[in-house]
Amino acid sequence: MTELNAAVKARIVLNFLTTAHKRINSMPLKELQRKYTANKGKRIRIIFKDADRAVIIQFTGGEMKLSWLNRDYDVTARLTLDTLLNVADRHIKQLDLRTNCPVLVPYTTLDAFIRGDIDTEGDASTNDIKIAIEALADHIDVLKELLKGVKRNA
């Protein structure tokens, strides 16, 4: 397994976001609205800390819009690729203090907020950010394929 530098991770994130964007926007309008509910058109900047890459996501008019420009956003969420992968997997490895063995424990977007794995600043609710992150997590198979053979931290 290899460890990736920030430039390679940035390319992986770019490929992942482009594919997820195409998949999400190919969904029928009603399904998109039902699945991701409304986030009031908030512009959410997601920064992947370990890839040094940012994207602005906005659900409006039944579409997910992506922007690579780092301006005009309402809220910023910072997370790592591992955090996104763990949210998608719905669990995280944690050391059991009684047995000193790793165990899988449930892990949601809200758990990531509580643990400090997602940092936020700006004017939006936790639910707005949760919707954007879970929309990406729904297409995590693309990211996992891009990261095949890469060592994970979590």
Side-chain angles (χ1 to χ4, degrees):
M1 297 238 176
T2 60
E3 187 70 41
L4 300 179
N5 64 28
V8 173
K9 283 185 179 180
R11 281 199 309 273
I12 288 171
V13 167
L14 179 64
N15 289 339
F16 163 64
L17 291 171
T18 303
T19 303
H21 178 239
K22 287 177 187 173
R23 283 183 174 187
I24 290 169
N25 282 340
S26 69
M27 296 169 76
L29 180 62
K30 287 188 187 291
E31 184 181 340
L32 188 69
Q33 289 171 328
R34 177 190 54 77
K35 185 167 180 88
Y36 299 119
T37 63
N39 70 354
K40 303 172 232 62
K42 295 277 187 183
R43 293 171 309 271
I44 300 163
R45 180 173 72 157
I46 296 179
I47 298 173
F48 292 94
K49 296 186 281 192
D50 52 347
D52 197 26
R53 171 66 72 181
V55 64
I56 297 172
I57 296 176
Q58 181 180 23
F59 287 97
T60 182
E63 288 186 337
M64 179 177 121
K65 297 184 178 180
L66 286 184
S67 172
W68 307 107
L69 303 174
N70 275 322
R71 60 174 198 249
D72 298 330
Y73 51 88
D74 300 304
V75 65
T76 298
R78 291 177 192 83
L79 66 150
T80 64
L81 290 173
D82 280 330
T83 299
L84 183 63
L85 288 162
N86 291 332
V87 166
D89 290 342
R90 308 255 188 269
H91 64 265
I92 189 169
K93 285 183 189 172
Q94 190 170 309
L95 191 63
D96 185 333
L97 297 176
R98 290 177 291 135
T99 63
N100 206 25
C101 294
V103 294
L104 294 178
V105 296
Y107 187 79
T108 65
T109 309
L110 296 178
D111 293 323
F113 279 107
I114 291 167
R115 292 172 52 106
D117 295 337
I118 299 174
D119 305 325
T120 62
E121 64 181 56
D123 179 31
S125 71
T126 303
N127 194 50
D128 294 333
I129 297 164
K130 178 179 176 280
I131 290 166
I133 290 172
E134 289 182 358
L136 295 177
D138 279 352
H139 303 282
I140 207 69
D141 60 309
V142 174
L143 184 58
K144 285 181 177 180
E145 183 65 30
L146 292 167
L147 290 172
K148 253 187 187 163
V150 174
K151 182 178 155 190
R152 280 187 62 189
N153 295 330

